[in-house]
Amino acid sequence: MPAPAEAGRVPGPPDGGWGWMVLLGAFVSIGFAYAFPKGLAIFFKEIQDFFGTSYSEIAWVSSIMLATTYGAGPISSILVNRYGSRPVVMFGGLLCGVGMISAAFCTSILQLYICVGFITGFGLALNLQPSVIIIGKYFLKRRPLANGLAMAGSPVMLCTLAPLNQFLFDNFGWRGSFLILGAILLNCCVAGALFRPIGPGTAQVKTQVTEEGKDALKGKITEDGPMESKTEEEGEKDCFEKVNQYLDFSLFKHRGFLIYLIGNVLMFLGFFAPIVFLAPYAKHTGVDEYSAAFLLSILAIVDMVARPATGIIANSRWVRPRIQYFFSFAIAFNGACHLLCPLASSYTGLIVYSSFFGLAFGMVCAMLFETLMDLVGAARFTSAVGLVTIAECCTILLGPPIGGILIDTFGDYKYMFIKCGSVMVLAGTFLFIMNYYNYRMLAKEEKERKAKEEDPKSVRTENEGQKNWNKDSTQDGPELEPLKEKGEGLKKEMNGTNEV
């Protein structure tokens, strides 16, 4: 018969077995979620001419899709906590197919915003977060490698979609292409079917978060409140507990989480615009359509190699303890590539830029969620992903349109690349400095904690004080009993706080 401590223990991540099939499903789902908005850039020039729109107006299509994919993160996290990853991903795949098929019949750019941007974007959101979350449940020791392999789905899909979209457009036009792409996206339902639940891990996370919500509520409720307000307080408590079951807002008190959040929100202001405008920029310089699409394939091929390679490096014993520094370097390196892009005045120069951009992009994407899990842990990761993505959606939404406005204003793409590069170098520098500060503070706090645990003098003094308290209480008689009870209550409360 199992010991009481082990009776309710959740089974650990298997780090293999069916986890590799889950990884295959995540590879497909994450690949579509990240690559599909970029692959649509192939159609932008023709859709722009068809509807007679500007660069900034057409950029809103990808921008709304990406922002919806990230902004719907909390909704996706709530659904995963409630129903599990498998049904959420399958429903997301269905939404993606419906959105793209509906887009084939659009007669205005506004209708494209709704069908492609919101409906398909929301479907991709229901593919992205559950896929990232379930990897953390199936892998622990090999988690950086698993994340790197799953994230490699994005370049593989982009490498496939770029020439495929150009081929579909040449043969079926953009409307026929959208119909076919809608059918292709239904394969996300098949990928989601592979996400077999691993066990009661989700319930454990729910319980932990609920307890944190209860503690937060206890601090807010006053002891001497009127009796008639008790019903109202209980209603607020129930409401807060329900919300806190799915989104752990106590993360906003987590120093490492706040550093990650600020740095990533700034980074995404310049993260996606260069990919969205790479093919149109090549066409603007006189490059033919297939060669322009091939630049995305080059980027994707390098990205494909960079992601698992970055996962292997990040999993090494030299890098993993300080993976936040590696992530900061990757962001700054990405920005440096954009700053140097205006120097590429020929197709050969664009090939070189695409290669280095693919390397930097793959490094960032491979560590994007691994660094977050490294900071907050697996138990709070679901809530962390939801809160981060909704914060990031604002800059994701604004990034490509701001780049389009710069192109419309100056008639030159170089200002868009300079803007994106500057923002990303700034974000990388911020994360490097603040993570250095965070590591120093964590080391200092750990040192103080160990000093308190290992100092026998402080422990002895505390025990002697307790003995003297009991002795004095006994000698002084019953008049000090209320004070004694109050002191014991205080100690219990302090011990409870220390245990949390």
Side-chain angles (χ1 to χ4, degrees):
M1 185 172 179
E6 297 179 357
R9 183 172 294 176
V10 177
D15 272 307
W18 187 258
W20 297 117
M21 297 304 297
V22 171
L23 185 61
L24 175 62
F27 179 91
V28 174
S29 297
I30 292 174
F32 277 122
Y34 278 121
F36 196 78
K38 306 164 197 170
L40 286 182
I42 298 297
F43 303 103
F44 281 179
K45 187 69 176 173
E46 287 71 25
I47 295 176
Q48 181 182 352
D49 295 337
F50 184 86
F51 290 114
T53 58
S54 63
Y55 283 102
S56 57
E57 287 176 324
I58 195 64
W60 279 104
V61 176
S62 279
S63 211
I64 293 172
M65 180 187 284
L66 288 166
T68 305
T69 301
Y70 278 78
I75 300 175
S76 181
S77 297
I78 290 171
L79 292 174
V80 169
N81 280 334
R82 180 66 181 85
Y83 300 106
S85 293
R86 176 187 280 172
V88 174
V89 173
M90 295 178 73
F91 179 66
L94 184 62
L95 274 183
C96 290
V98 170
M100 289 305 298
I101 292 171
S102 301
F105 302 97
C106 290
T107 56
S108 68
I109 193 70
L110 180 61
Q111 292 174 1
L112 278 180
Y113 292 162
I114 296 171
C115 295
V116 179
F118 288 110
I119 298 177
T120 307
F122 184 62
L124 293 177
L126 299 183
N127 275 267
L128 178 59
Q129 275 79 13
S131 302
V132 174
I133 290 166
I134 200 165
I135 289 174
K137 293 180 179 179
Y138 268 89
F139 292 92
L140 179 61
K141 294 180 181 179
R142 298 173 179 173
R143 195 179 64 214
L145 176 60
N147 276 319
L149 290 172
M151 291 295 176
S154 174
V156 171
M157 292 296 178
L158 183 59
C159 182
T160 306
L161 285 175
L164 175 64
N165 286 351
Q166 190 63 55
F167 172 79
L168 292 175
F169 174 76
D170 291 340
N171 289 276
F172 304 102
W174 67 270
R175 293 186 185 276
S177 300
F178 280 11
L179 281 172
I180 297 171
L181 290 173
I184 292 174
L185 282 174
L186 291 174
N187 285 287
C188 292
C189 299
V190 181
L194 296 173
F195 292 172
R196 188 169 66 193
I198 193 172
T202 307
Q204 185 189 43
V205 175
K206 285 184 184 178
T207 303
Q208 178 179 348
V209 174
T210 304
E211 291 301 323
E212 291 173 357
K214 290 179 180 178
D215 294 339
L217 277 167
K218 287 177 183 176
K220 290 184 178 180
I221 299 175
T222 57
E223 294 179 1
D224 53 350
M227 292 295 293
E228 57 267 18
S229 65
K230 185 174 280 188
T231 304
E232 183 180 350
E233 289 175 353
E234 288 176 356
E236 291 177 359
K237 180 178 178 181
D238 293 339
C239 180
F240 188 85
E241 284 183 2
K242 287 179 181 178
V243 173
N244 225 29
Q245 279 182 350
Y246 304 112
L247 291 176
D248 183 8
F249 289 100
S250 66
L251 283 165
F252 287 107
K253 297 180 181 179
H254 192 291
R255 184 175 57 240
F257 175 78
L258 289 176
I259 292 171
Y260 177 93
L261 182 64
I262 295 170
N264 276 258
V265 166
L266 182 61
M267 175 193 75
F268 276 108
L269 195 60
F271 192 61
F272 287 114
I275 290 185
V276 171
F277 288 108
L278 179 58
Y281 173 51
K283 294 177 183 178
H284 178 75
T285 58
V287 176
D288 64 271
E289 295 176 347
Y290 275 96
S291 297
F294 185 63
L295 290 175
L296 289 175
S297 297
I298 293 173
L299 185 153
I301 291 170
V302 178
D303 189 3
M304 194 188 312
V305 177
R307 295 197 189 204
T310 302
I312 293 171
I313 295 172
N315 202 36
S316 65
R317 67 176 185 271
W318 300 284
V319 177
R320 190 168 186 180
R322 292 293 182 266
I323 193 173
Q324 305 296 333
Y325 290 146
F326 193 29
F327 182 57
S328 305
F329 165 76
I331 294 173
F333 176 50
N334 204 316
C337 292
H338 302 325
L339 290 174
L340 295 174
C341 179
L343 300 178
S345 56
S346 64
Y347 185 67
T348 303
L350 288 174
I351 291 176
V352 174
Y353 164 72
S354 300
S355 301
F356 279 97
F357 183 19
L359 174 63
F361 193 85
M363 291 173 65
V364 172
C365 290
M367 293 183 287
L368 193 60
F369 293 108
E370 174 59 32
T371 48
L372 179 59
M373 191 176 288
D374 175 71
L375 288 169
V376 303
R380 307 170 81 184
F381 181 65
T382 304
S383 291
V385 169
L387 294 173
V388 165
T389 51
I390 196 171
E392 291 170 347
C393 75
C394 299
T395 49
I396 291 172
L397 179 67
L398 295 175
I402 290 175
I405 290 171
L406 290 174
I407 296 169
D408 290 331
T409 303
F410 297 101
D412 197 336
Y413 282 79
K414 71 177 181 180
Y415 296 103
M416 184 273 299
F417 285 106
I418 291 172
K419 183 270 295 184
C420 295
S422 302
V423 167
M424 295 200 67
V425 169
L426 179 63
T429 305
F430 169 82
L431 283 172
F432 188 89
I433 294 172
M434 294 307 296
N435 279 314
Y436 173 76
Y437 167 76
N438 188 38
Y439 279 132
R440 289 288 299 272
M441 291 300 295
L442 288 173
K444 183 179 177 181
E445 291 164 1
E446 181 68 14
K447 186 177 179 181
E448 291 175 355
R449 187 186 65 81
K450 286 184 178 180
K452 288 181 180 179
E453 290 179 353
E454 296 175 359
D455 188 3
K457 186 176 180 181
S458 62
V459 175
R460 186 170 63 251
T461 304
E462 184 179 350
N463 292 336
E464 289 175 357
Q466 178 63 31
K467 289 179 182 178
N468 292 335
W469 169 266
N470 294 334
K471 182 179 179 182
D472 293 342
S473 300
T474 305
Q475 291 175 350
D476 290 336
E479 63 270 15
L480 291 181
E481 281 299 313
L483 183 61
K484 177 183 176 184
E485 291 174 1
K486 185 177 180 182
E488 289 176 349
L490 269 172
K491 185 178 178 186
K492 288 179 182 178
E493 183 178 353
M494 290 174 63
N495 288 338
T497 306
N498 291 336
E499 288 173 4
V500 172

